[in-house]
Amino acid sequence: QVQLVESGGGLVQAGGSLRLSCAVSGSIRSINRMGWYRQPPGKQRDLVADITSSGSTNYADSVKGRFTISRDNAKNTIYLQMNSLKPEDTDVYHCYARIESYRRAWSDYWGQGTQVTVSS
């Protein structure tokens, strides 16, 4: 069974930093795109940043220059370094991965989410 396990969320003051991690486990054949999304209450889930298996990255305009996504393919793990955090960054951050497992063709997987709270 494929699982995405997130860690690193928490409470931080505005201007501070946090680093999120997302590790994929299970019978994995290959992982394509991975990324982070956030979902404000009552709204759709929006892309924060994503990264392909070759390292190409994409960021939401609101986080460009402040957040950095990276990937360790050997560990099936991605990271989101979040600097200069703002109160509007407060949200639940969900990890995403497009995975081909030994039991299932290419499919989308989501983590359970980790809370990030930025106080003013």
Side-chain angles (χ1 to χ4, degrees):
Q1 183 177 359
V2 175
Q3 286 188 316
L4 277 62
V5 179
E6 301 132 329
S7 61
L11 173 64
V12 65
Q13 288 188 332
S17 298
L18 283 174
R19 188 189 193 215
L20 305 183
S21 300
C22 173
V24 179
S25 63
S27 300
I28 301 161
R29 184 187 297 271
S30 184
I31 304 175
N32 192 350
R33 188 171 69 91
M34 298 184 71
W36 293 94
Y37 285 72
R38 58 191 182 190
Q39 185 170 19
K43 297 186 178 180
Q44 68 178 20
R45 195 169 287 183
D46 293 327
L47 176 70
V48 176
D50 63 11
I51 185 167
T52 66
S53 56
S54 60
S56 295
T57 59
N58 181 43
Y59 295 92
D61 288 340
S62 60
V63 306
K64 284 180 181 177
R66 300 188 298 122
F67 291 11
T68 302
I69 190 170
S70 60
R71 179 168 175 163
D72 186 335
N73 289 328
K75 296 181 179 180
N76 292 331
T77 299
I78 60 169
Y79 307 93
L80 186 68
Q81 179 66 43
M82 304 186 293
N83 298 329
S84 301
L85 282 161
K86 304 175 181 180
E88 51 263 44
D89 293 319
T90 296
D91 220 321
V92 178
Y93 286 69
H94 295 269
C95 178
Y96 160 87
R98 181 121 180 115
I99 297 170
E100 181 187 30
S101 72
Y102 287 98
R103 293 189 174 186
R104 195 173 173 187
W106 287 105
S107 300
D108 297 330
Y109 292 84
W110 293 91
Q112 79 284 357
T114 185
Q115 177 70 47
V116 171
T117 302
V118 184
S119 63
S120 56

